[in-house]
Amino acid sequence: MTSLYLPTATGSLERYELAPAVEWAKPTAPLTARHAYAAAHVIPEVTADNTPGAPAVLDWDTTLAYRRELWSYGLGVADAMDTAQRGMGLDWPATQELIRRSGAEAAAVVGSNADATRGKTVRDLLACGAGTDQLDLANLPSGRAGLNAVVEAYREQIKVVSDAGAKVILMASRALAAVAQSPADYQYVYGILLAEADEPVILHWLGTMFDPALNGYWGNNDVSAATEIFLELIRAQPEKVDGVKVSLLDASHETALRAALPGSVRLYTGDDFNYPELIHGDGTHYSDALLGIFAAIYPAASAALQAYDDGEAHRGREILDSTRELGKHIFSSPTFYYKTGVAFLSWVNGHQPGFQMVGGLHSGRSALHLAETFRLADKAGLLADPDVAAHRFEWLLASYGVGA
């Protein structure tokens, strides 16, 4: 069996033996029991200046290959989201190119008529974030002028997503959070955007554990009050809302919100701690998925959804539960560095040439954190080739001075 020495919390090293690789079957037909998008990360050029503040330079071949990998397991891709480092290294010029290239790639997959995606449209395969991150917050005007600047920024990004053929995700906006003074300001901006939408969109509610700049989103610091504002917005134009993506890491809140939504509106869980029970459902309602953790556990996530399609709900829940501890660890505090764990698993599984991230974010987690990520991924059967994974991680640990 493959083994290596891993650091422990006590400062010592322990010999760790890896389990044999698990063979996860790809679906032979499109997944239907749940709608699921994996929020994909981006892969930089290894020779680029991947330091904080530097423009994002992506390795397009490997970035797009990762999306094809996700599609081959029957999952949709949520692109240009926080998992792709929006607001944490991925600038708007690179984001535009990502959306365009991912749209073209999704169209090629649709045309291939592959088993896992047969009959799907580009909108089924790809949903992309439209936000306002091209705005300079320091020079954002106040009052109605600021709100109108936010609307125009959203419009610019919505056009890029729509032109790519993808479903629009209206991302939570730091600029709107900065300029809005009341719930009415949120109603004003989102009311305009929904009225103008050509196709139903996904509304995105991201908690402060992911982005502290979004404090008080929807116009109230109290989650219950903010939820009522959110629901009022949806109920005003339900035909314009495909679903809502909620990332508050609060299962009871999501369950209550899910039950309160209009029947035509999906709840795409963004709860990377409690996704097994939320996707499984309570017998009356269930959540669909738009999850960063699915980009890390996609072979198991696909197998679980295949089990739901086969009428084996207990087996589907069992598979999702087997990945829970990995999800909780990758998304542990500070949660906004979860992207580092997603990129790390991509690297040890051979999907990218180097453990690098735009903006230098690969330094966001410690060797100890990565060692536990490695252990938990192994226990969940998510190291595709244990020999390759061990070799790569041993090299990284040595570069950190572990075992020297």
Side-chain angles (χ1 to χ4, degrees):
M1 294 179 67
T2 302
S3 66
L4 74 166
Y5 284 92
L6 297 179
T8 70
T10 63
S12 62
L13 295 176
E14 68 169 10
R15 185 171 178 270
Y16 181 81
E17 289 191 351
L18 280 72
V22 174
E23 296 293 331
W24 298 100
K26 293 184 177 181
T28 57
L31 302 172
T32 59
R34 304 289 188 273
H35 288 222
Y37 291 94
H41 75 301
V42 293
I43 301 165
E45 286 282 1
V46 293
T47 57
D49 183 22
N50 297 313
T51 53
V57 180
L58 301 189
D59 179 336
W60 291 113
D61 288 342
T62 54
T63 292
L64 295 174
Y66 201 81
R67 282 137 184 80
R68 291 195 298 273
E69 175 79 355
L70 295 171
W71 286 320
S72 76
Y73 278 87
L75 301 173
V77 169
D79 219 334
M81 299 290 291
D82 46 293
T83 307
Q85 295 182 239
R86 291 293 292 274
M88 291 188 73
L90 189 71
D91 50 68
W92 175 231
T95 299
Q96 293 181 69
E97 188 67 15
L98 174 65
I99 293 168
R100 294 187 183 106
R101 287 179 182 251
S102 292
E105 204 69 31
V109 170
V110 168
S112 73
N113 207 31
D115 290 344
T117 54
R118 185 175 295 117
K120 297 288 188 180
T121 67
V122 172
R123 278 174 55 84
D124 295 326
L125 295 185
L126 184 67
C128 294
T132 63
D133 50 333
Q134 73 272 49
L135 294 175
D136 179 358
L137 297 186
N139 293 313
L140 190 66
S142 60
R144 183 55 61 92
L147 296 176
N148 288 335
V150 168
V151 170
E152 288 302 319
Y154 267 124
R155 283 172 173 157
E156 178 188 356
Q157 296 204 10
I158 288 168
K159 186 178 188 305
V160 172
V161 175
S162 298
D163 287 351
K167 186 177 294 183
V168 172
I169 303 171
L170 290 181
M171 297 179 67
S173 165
R174 290 177 180 173
L176 181 53
V179 74
Q181 297 297 310
S182 70
D185 290 340
Y186 287 88
Q187 297 283 1
Y188 173 76
V189 169
Y190 280 93
I192 291 172
L193 299 175
L194 289 179
E196 294 176 350
D198 293 330
E199 299 278 357
V201 305
I202 297 174
L203 296 179
H204 184 210
W205 186 354
L206 194 65
T208 53
M209 68 289 294
F210 291 95
D211 189 344
L214 300 176
N215 187 46
Y217 213 74
W218 308 116
N220 203 301
N221 285 311
D222 179 76
V223 172
S224 296
T227 300
E228 288 307 312
I229 299 163
F230 188 54
L231 284 168
E232 181 181 344
L233 173 71
I234 296 163
R235 289 166 179 157
Q237 301 186 69
E239 74 284 358
K240 295 299 186 80
V241 183
D242 169 83
V244 300
K245 192 268 192 183
V246 182
S247 298
L248 299 182
L249 304 183
D250 183 338
S252 61
H253 173 267
E254 180 171 320
T255 300
L257 174 60
R258 186 173 67 191
L261 288 171
S264 62
V265 177
R266 297 181 179 276
L267 196 150
Y268 293 95
T269 186
D271 189 331
D272 302 276
F273 288 171
N274 304 298
Y275 58 91
E277 60 264 39
L278 291 167
I279 292 171
H280 187 78
D282 56 15
T284 303
H285 301 96
Y286 62 81
S287 294
D288 294 292
L290 200 163
L291 287 162
I293 192 58
F294 268 24
I297 67 165
Y298 64 89
S302 174
L305 298 182
Q306 291 176 61
Y308 280 103
D309 276 353
D310 292 339
E312 299 177 358
H314 176 77
R315 173 63 178 153
R317 172 67 187 272
E318 183 180 67
I319 295 171
L320 292 175
D321 278 335
S322 73
T323 67
R324 182 194 296 271
E325 291 306 311
L326 175 61
K328 289 170 66 177
H329 179 69
I330 287 177
F331 283 78
S332 61
S333 182
T335 301
F336 48 81
Y337 285 125
Y338 78 87
K339 309 160 190 69
T340 305
V342 175
F344 171 72
L345 289 180
S346 170
W347 174 65
V348 296
N349 279 318
H351 293 300
Q352 58 191 76
F355 178 42
Q356 289 200 51
M357 301 173 69
V358 298
L361 208 67
H362 46 284
S363 64
R365 294 294 198 184
S366 66
L368 188 63
H369 179 94
L370 296 178
E372 185 62 11
T373 302
F374 190 87
R375 290 186 190 92
L376 292 171
D378 176 61
K379 288 177 168 52
L382 291 167
L383 297 180
D385 185 325
D387 289 335
V388 169
H391 173 74
R392 288 192 165 204
F393 195 30
E394 280 184 317
W395 174 87
L396 181 65
L397 289 172
S399 74
Y400 288 166
V402 174

